[in-house]
Amino acid sequence: MTRFLGILVIFLTLSLLPGCGYNQMQTNEEAVKAAWGNVDAALQRRLDLIPNLVETVKGYASHEKDTFTAVTDARSKAGQVKLTPETLADPQAMAAFQQAQGQMQSALSRLLAVAENYPQLKADQNFRDLQHQLEGTENRINVARQRYNQTVEVYNSSIRTFPNFITNSLMLHLKPKEYYKADEAAQQAPKVKF
């Protein structure tokens, strides 16, 4: 009789394992890591385009040294602040990363504003090509951020729902990942003056 109960317990345990969510949570965590890799790759592409853009603008607007210095410094800072899949659950690391990326975006906007003051530069084919590449890259970054946030939503839900949260609390100890949030400056509408 005890042997029968032992076999029954093993059978019940094995039949419950597929429903515990262990594999799904692991799959979701890997999806978050992959989505973050896509965000990171798109941001790296932007960092790689910036030196070419700066050099092209420098040829036309050599007296705009402050702008060039700001772009170069922001690029350097943005390149130094890295997030790894392991630090995606750390709100401070995510905030520092987003701040560095926001500074990069702001400096880049100033550089493009300088370029607007030089009609010859705007007509230059190299500048136009770089500007189009940068616009495309910004779109890729935005799409990658949105996909990352969607993946984080699925992952965070999977570790908090029943019965997965029991498996997570007993076996995996996974922490919720941070969402990629909008820059605080984006919360305010730009002021347009004519």
Side-chain angles (χ1 to χ4, degrees):
M1 183 68 168
T2 57
R3 183 177 178 141
F4 175 74
L5 286 176
I7 292 172
L8 183 63
V9 168
I10 290 173
F11 177 74
L12 287 175
T13 303
L14 290 175
S15 67
L16 291 176
L17 280 179
C20 72
Y22 182 88
N23 290 336
Q24 188 61 47
M25 287 184 285
Q26 297 288 22
T27 301
N28 291 344
E29 185 176 37
E30 289 304 314
V32 168
K33 290 176 183 178
W36 181 253
N38 293 338
V39 170
D40 204 28
L43 292 171
Q44 184 61 50
R45 177 177 162 76
R46 178 173 64 186
L47 289 178
D48 293 344
L49 284 172
I50 289 170
N52 296 328
L53 188 64
V54 168
E55 288 304 314
T56 302
V57 175
K58 260 187 189 179
Y60 286 90
S62 58
H63 63 281
E64 299 283 354
K65 290 187 188 269
D66 291 344
T67 302
F68 301 135
T69 302
V71 170
T72 304
D73 289 346
R75 180 182 181 271
S76 175
K77 287 177 186 171
Q80 290 173 356
V81 179
K82 294 281 186 191
L83 277 180
T84 63
E86 293 76 30
T87 59
L88 290 175
D90 182 0
Q92 289 84 14
M94 181 62 90
F97 182 83
Q98 288 180 203
Q99 181 182 14
Q101 291 301 320
Q103 289 172 350
M104 176 72 253
Q105 184 64 35
S106 175
L108 199 52
S109 295
R110 286 194 306 270
L111 178 67
L112 293 174
V114 166
E116 288 293 317
N117 293 327
Y118 296 90
Q120 307 92 341
L121 175 60
K122 290 193 314 188
D124 182 75
Q125 186 64 40
N126 287 337
F127 176 75
R128 287 193 316 223
D129 289 347
L130 285 168
Q131 193 171 20
H132 289 299
Q133 286 183 32
L134 196 57
E135 289 169 0
T137 299
E138 291 299 326
N139 288 336
R140 288 180 187 153
I141 290 169
N142 189 42
V143 168
R145 286 174 183 161
Q146 289 172 348
R147 288 181 181 159
Y148 168 77
N149 281 345
Q150 290 168 347
T151 307
V152 167
E153 178 183 17
V154 170
Y155 165 80
N156 285 348
S157 295
S158 76
I159 66 171
R160 291 182 172 147
T161 56
F162 182 81
N164 295 6
F165 79 89
I166 295 171
T167 304
N168 186 39
S169 64
L170 295 175
M171 298 172 70
L172 296 172
H173 309 290
L174 299 172
K175 293 184 174 140
K177 305 295 185 196
E178 288 294 312
Y179 287 97
Y180 202 109
K181 299 176 185 101
D183 187 20
E184 288 188 26
Q187 300 293 329
Q188 299 173 2
K191 295 178 182 175
V192 179
K193 293 182 183 179
F194 293 102

Coordinates of all heavy atoms in Angstrom, one line a residue, residues 90-132:
D90 N 17.2 46.5 -11.8 CA 17.7 47.5 -10.9 C 17.2 48.9 -11.3 O 17.6 49.4 -12.4 CB 19.2 47.5 -10.9 CG 19.8 48.5 -9.9 OD1 19.1 49.3 -9.3 OD2 21.1 48.6 -9.9
P91 N 16.3 49.5 -10.6 CA 15.7 50.8 -11.0 C 16.7 51.9 -11.1 O 16.6 52.7 -12.0 CB 14.7 51.1 -9.9 CG 14.5 49.9 -9.1 CD 15.6 49.0 -9.3
Q92 N 17.7 51.9 -10.2 CA 18.8 53.0 -10.3 C 19.6 52.8 -11.5 O 20.0 53.8 -12.2 CB 19.7 53.0 -9.0 CG 19.0 53.4 -7.8 CD 18.2 52.3 -7.1 OE1 18.3 51.2 -7.4 NE2 17.3 52.7 -6.2
A93 N 20.0 51.6 -11.9 CA 20.8 51.4 -13.1 C 20.0 51.8 -14.3 O 20.5 52.4 -15.2 CB 21.2 49.9 -13.2
M94 N 18.7 51.4 -14.4 CA 17.9 51.8 -15.5 C 17.7 53.3 -15.6 O 17.8 53.9 -16.7 CB 16.5 51.2 -15.4 CG 15.6 51.5 -16.6 SD 16.2 50.9 -18.2 CE 15.5 49.3 -18.3
A95 N 17.6 54.0 -14.5 CA 17.4 55.5 -14.5 C 18.7 56.1 -14.9 O 18.7 57.1 -15.7 CB 17.1 55.9 -13.1
A96 N 19.9 55.7 -14.5 CA 21.1 56.2 -14.9 C 21.3 56.0 -16.4 O 21.8 56.9 -17.2 CB 22.3 55.6 -14.2
F97 N 21.0 54.8 -16.9 CA 21.1 54.5 -18.3 C 20.2 55.5 -19.2 O 20.6 56.1 -20.2 CB 20.7 53.1 -18.6 CG 20.8 52.7 -20.0 CD1 22.1 52.3 -20.6 CD2 19.7 52.7 -20.9 CE1 22.2 52.0 -21.9 CE2 19.8 52.3 -22.2 CZ 21.1 52.0 -22.7
Q98 N 18.9 55.6 -18.7 CA 18.0 56.5 -19.4 C 18.4 57.9 -19.4 O 18.2 58.7 -20.4 CB 16.6 56.3 -18.9 CG 16.0 54.9 -19.2 CD 14.6 54.7 -18.7 OE1 14.2 53.6 -18.6 NE2 13.8 55.7 -18.4
Q99 N 19.0 58.4 -18.3 CA 19.5 59.7 -18.2 C 20.6 60.0 -19.2 O 20.6 61.0 -19.9 CB 19.9 60.1 -16.8 CG 20.4 61.5 -16.6 CD 20.9 61.8 -15.2 OE1 21.2 60.9 -14.4 NE2 21.1 63.1 -14.9
A100 N 21.5 59.1 -19.3 CA 22.6 59.2 -20.2 C 22.1 59.2 -21.7 O 22.6 60.0 -22.5 CB 23.7 58.1 -20.1
Q101 N 21.1 58.4 -22.0 CA 20.6 58.4 -23.3 C 19.8 59.6 -23.6 O 19.8 60.2 -24.7 CB 19.7 57.1 -23.5 CG 20.4 55.8 -23.5 CD 21.4 55.7 -24.6 OE1 21.2 56.2 -25.8 NE2 22.6 55.2 -24.3
G102 N 19.1 60.2 -22.6 CA 18.4 61.5 -22.8 C 19.4 62.6 -23.0 O 19.1 63.5 -23.9
Q103 N 20.5 62.6 -22.4 CA 21.5 63.7 -22.6 C 22.1 63.5 -24.0 O 22.3 64.5 -24.7 CB 22.6 63.6 -21.6 CG 22.2 64.0 -20.2 CD 23.3 63.7 -19.1 OE1 24.3 63.0 -19.4 NE2 23.1 64.3 -18.0
M104 N 22.2 62.3 -24.5 CA 22.7 62.1 -25.8 C 21.7 62.6 -26.8 O 22.1 63.3 -27.8 CB 22.9 60.5 -26.0 CG 23.4 60.1 -27.4 SD 25.0 60.6 -27.7 CE 24.7 61.9 -28.9
Q105 N 20.5 62.3 -26.6 CA 19.4 62.8 -27.5 C 19.3 64.3 -27.6 O 19.2 64.9 -28.6 CB 18.1 62.2 -27.1 CG 16.9 62.5 -28.0 CD 17.1 61.9 -29.4 OE1 17.6 60.8 -29.5 NE2 16.7 62.6 -30.4
S106 N 19.5 64.9 -26.4 CA 19.4 66.4 -26.3 C 20.6 67.0 -27.1 O 20.4 68.0 -27.8 CB 19.4 66.8 -24.9 OG 19.5 68.2 -24.7
A107 N 21.8 66.5 -26.9 CA 23.0 67.0 -27.6 C 22.9 66.8 -29.1 O 23.2 67.7 -29.9 CB 24.2 66.4 -27.0
L108 N 22.3 65.7 -29.5 CA 22.2 65.4 -30.9 C 21.1 66.4 -31.5 O 21.3 66.9 -32.6 CB 21.7 64.0 -31.1 CG 21.9 63.3 -32.4 CD1 23.3 63.5 -32.9 CD2 21.5 61.9 -32.3
S109 N 20.1 66.7 -30.8 CA 19.1 67.7 -31.3 C 19.7 69.0 -31.5 O 19.4 69.7 -32.4 CB 18.0 67.8 -30.3 OG 17.3 66.5 -30.2
R110 N 20.6 69.4 -30.5 CA 21.3 70.7 -30.7 C 22.2 70.7 -31.9 O 22.3 71.7 -32.6 CB 22.1 71.0 -29.4 CG 21.3 71.4 -28.2 CD 22.1 72.1 -27.1 NE 23.2 71.3 -26.6 CZ 23.1 70.4 -25.7 NH1 22.0 70.2 -25.0 NH2 24.2 69.7 -25.3
L111 N 22.9 69.6 -32.2 CA 23.7 69.5 -33.3 C 22.9 69.6 -34.6 O 23.3 70.4 -35.5 CB 24.5 68.2 -33.3 CG 25.4 67.9 -34.5 CD1 26.6 68.9 -34.5 CD2 25.9 66.5 -34.5
L112 N 21.8 69.0 -34.7 CA 20.9 69.1 -35.8 C 20.3 70.5 -36.0 O 20.1 71.0 -37.1 CB 19.8 68.0 -35.8 CG 20.3 66.6 -36.0 CD1 19.2 65.6 -35.8 CD2 21.0 66.4 -37.3
A113 N 20.1 71.2 -34.9 CA 19.6 72.5 -34.9 C 20.7 73.5 -35.5 O 20.4 74.4 -36.3 CB 19.2 73.0 -33.5
V114 N 22.0 73.2 -35.1 CA 23.1 74.0 -35.7 C 23.1 73.8 -37.2 O 23.3 74.7 -38.0 CB 24.4 73.6 -35.1 CG1 25.6 74.1 -35.9 CG2 24.5 74.1 -33.6
A115 N 22.9 72.6 -37.6 CA 23.0 72.2 -39.1 C 21.9 73.0 -39.8 O 22.1 73.3 -41.0 CB 22.8 70.7 -39.3
E116 N 20.8 73.2 -39.2 CA 19.7 73.9 -39.9 C 20.1 75.4 -40.3 O 19.5 75.9 -41.2 CB 18.4 74.0 -39.0 CG 17.7 72.7 -38.8 CD 17.1 72.2 -40.1 OE1 16.5 73.0 -40.8 OE2 17.2 71.0 -40.4
N117 N 21.1 75.9 -39.6 CA 21.5 77.3 -39.9 C 22.4 77.4 -41.0 O 22.9 78.5 -41.4 CB 22.2 77.9 -38.6 CG 21.2 78.1 -37.5 OD1 20.0 78.4 -37.7 ND2 21.6 78.0 -36.3
Y118 N 22.8 76.3 -41.6 CA 23.7 76.3 -42.7 C 23.1 75.6 -44.0 O 23.1 74.4 -44.1 CB 25.0 75.5 -42.3 CG 25.7 76.2 -41.2 CD1 25.4 75.9 -39.9 CD2 26.6 77.2 -41.4 CE1 26.0 76.6 -38.8 CE2 27.3 77.9 -40.4 CZ 26.9 77.6 -39.1 OH 27.5 78.2 -38.1
P119 N 22.6 76.5 -44.9 CA 21.9 75.9 -46.1 C 22.9 75.0 -46.9 O 22.4 74.0 -47.5 CB 21.5 77.2 -46.9 CG 21.6 78.3 -45.9 CD 22.5 77.9 -44.8
Q120 N 24.2 75.4 -47.0 CA 25.1 74.6 -47.8 C 25.2 73.2 -47.2 O 25.3 72.2 -47.9 CB 26.5 75.2 -47.9 CG 26.5 76.6 -48.3 CD 26.5 77.6 -47.1 OE1 26.1 77.2 -46.0 NE2 26.9 78.8 -47.4
L121 N 25.2 73.1 -45.8 CA 25.3 71.8 -45.2 C 24.1 71.0 -45.4 O 24.2 69.8 -45.7 CB 25.5 72.0 -43.7 CG 25.5 70.8 -42.8 CD1 26.6 69.9 -43.2 CD2 25.7 71.2 -41.3
K122 N 22.9 71.6 -45.3 CA 21.7 70.9 -45.5 C 21.6 70.3 -47.0 O 21.0 69.3 -47.2 CB 20.4 71.7 -45.3 CG 20.3 72.1 -43.8 CD 18.9 72.7 -43.5 CE 18.4 73.7 -44.3 NZ 17.2 74.4 -43.9
A123 N 22.3 71.0 -47.9 CA 22.3 70.5 -49.3 C 23.3 69.5 -49.5 O 23.3 68.8 -50.6 CB 22.5 71.7 -50.2
D124 N 24.3 69.3 -48.6 CA 25.4 68.3 -48.8 C 24.8 66.9 -48.7 O 24.1 66.5 -47.8 CB 26.4 68.6 -47.7 CG 27.6 67.6 -47.8 OD1 28.4 67.9 -48.7 OD2 27.7 66.6 -47.1
Q125 N 25.1 66.1 -49.7 CA 24.6 64.7 -49.8 C 25.1 63.9 -48.7 O 24.3 63.1 -48.1 CB 25.1 64.1 -51.2 CG 24.5 62.7 -51.4 CD 23.0 62.8 -51.5 OE1 22.4 63.7 -52.2 NE2 22.3 61.8 -51.0
N126 N 26.3 64.0 -48.2 CA 26.8 63.2 -47.1 C 26.0 63.5 -45.8 O 25.6 62.6 -45.1 CB 28.3 63.5 -46.8 CG 29.2 62.9 -47.8 OD1 28.8 61.9 -48.5 ND2 30.4 63.4 -48.0
F127 N 25.7 64.8 -45.6 CA 25.0 65.2 -44.4 C 23.5 64.7 -44.5 O 23.0 64.1 -43.6 CB 24.9 66.7 -44.3 CG 24.1 67.2 -43.1 CD1 24.5 67.0 -41.8 CD2 22.8 67.7 -43.3 CE1 23.7 67.4 -40.7 CE2 22.0 68.1 -42.3 CZ 22.4 67.9 -41.0
R128 N 22.9 64.8 -45.7 CA 21.6 64.3 -45.8 C 21.5 62.8 -45.6 O 20.6 62.3 -45.0 CB 21.0 64.6 -47.2 CG 20.7 66.1 -47.3 CD 19.8 66.4 -48.5 NE 20.3 65.7 -49.7 CZ 20.5 66.2 -50.9 NH1 20.1 67.5 -51.1 NH2 20.9 65.5 -51.9
D129 N 22.5 62.0 -46.2 CA 22.5 60.6 -46.0 C 22.7 60.2 -44.5 O 22.0 59.4 -44.0 CB 23.7 60.0 -46.7 CG 23.5 60.0 -48.3 OD1 22.3 60.2 -48.7 OD2 24.4 59.8 -49.0
L130 N 23.6 60.9 -43.8 CA 23.7 60.7 -42.4 C 22.5 61.0 -41.6 O 22.1 60.3 -40.7 CB 24.9 61.5 -41.8 CG 26.3 61.0 -42.2 CD1 27.4 62.0 -41.9 CD2 26.6 59.7 -41.5
Q131 N 21.9 62.1 -41.9 CA 20.6 62.5 -41.2 C 19.5 61.5 -41.5 O 18.8 61.1 -40.5 CB 20.2 63.9 -41.7 CG 19.1 64.5 -40.9 CD 18.8 66.0 -41.2 OE1 19.1 66.4 -42.3 NE2 18.2 66.7 -40.3
H132 N 19.4 60.9 -42.7 CA 18.4 59.9 -42.9 C 18.7 58.6 -42.1 O 17.8 58.0 -41.6 CB 18.3 59.6 -44.4 CG 17.7 60.7 -45.2 ND1 16.4 61.1 -45.0 CD2 18.2 61.4 -46.2 CE1 16.1 62.1 -45.8 NE2 17.1 62.3 -46.6

